[in-house]
Amino acid sequence: MSEMDQVVVINKLLHDYFDMLYFCDLDKFEKVFHPKAIYATADEEAFLYRNMSEYKKVLAERLSPASKQEIRKDFIDSVELAGENTARAKVRCSIGSKDFVDYLTLVRVDGQWSIISKVFQIKQGA
C-alpha cells in the first residue's frame, strides 16, 4: 500500500475517532483504539492516565455532544508516517466548553491501523 493510501486509511480512522467522541459511540471506540492503548494528559490537577477499559467507561457514561446538539468542530492538523506501521496525528476537537488538541500515535497491526496512545491538551473554548 502506498504512503498516500496509508494516509487515506488513517484519515478515515480519524474521522471515525471524531464520530466516536461526538456520538459517544462504543462500537467506534473498539474500532479506533488498540486494546492496549493509553490515554493521558498533564492538564488535569493531577496527571491523568487511563487504560482503555477506564476510558471506555467514561465515554459510556458521558452525555454525548450530539445529544446536546453541539456544533461539531473537528480538525485534522497533520498526519505523519514514520514507516509502514507507525504514524502520528495532531487533531483538534471541542466537547462542551473545552477545546482539545490531541496527539495520537497510531500503529498498524495485522494490516489494521489503530490508535495506541492519546495524549492531549485542554483549552477553554471561546
Side-chain angles (χ1 to χ4, degrees):
M1 187 179 291
S2 74
E3 188 171 304
M4 183 176 260
D5 290 338
Q6 296 282 29
V7 171
V8 168
V9 171
I10 291 170
N11 280 331
K12 168 77 171 96
L13 177 79
L14 295 175
H15 286 286
D16 286 342
Y17 169 75
F18 291 140
D19 286 347
M20 177 213 66
L21 291 172
Y22 189 72
F23 296 103
C24 294
D25 185 328
L26 299 181
D27 290 332
K28 288 206 174 169
F29 179 93
E30 298 290 337
K31 182 179 177 182
V32 300
F33 282 103
H34 187 280
K36 294 184 179 180
I38 66 159
Y39 168 104
T41 185
D43 231 16
E44 297 288 336
E45 287 185 27
F47 174 74
L48 176 62
Y49 167 88
R50 291 186 172 125
N51 62 34
M52 287 299 97
S53 62
E54 294 165 332
Y55 182 35
K56 185 176 182 180
K57 184 177 183 214
V58 169
L59 191 70
E61 295 173 355
R62 179 183 293 159
L63 188 59
S64 75
S67 69
K68 297 185 276 182
Q69 299 180 336
E70 291 181 13
I71 296 171
R72 285 186 72 161
K73 294 187 254 180
D74 309 327
F75 305 96
I76 299 172
D77 289 335
S78 63
V79 173
E80 180 182 348
L81 291 171
E84 292 181 10
N85 299 310
T86 308
R88 72 175 174 183
K90 178 184 174 192
V91 302
R92 293 176 289 128
C93 64
S94 298
I95 299 174
S97 65
K98 295 180 181 177
D99 296 329
F100 296 86
V101 177
D102 298 347
Y103 289 94
L104 307 173
T105 306
L106 300 101
V107 292
R108 188 170 71 147
V109 177
D110 297 327
Q112 297 287 353
W113 284 100
S114 60
I115 299 167
I116 192 68
S117 71
K118 170 181 176 163
V119 179
F120 61 96
Q121 177 77 40
I122 303 168
K123 299 186 176 243
Q124 291 302 321

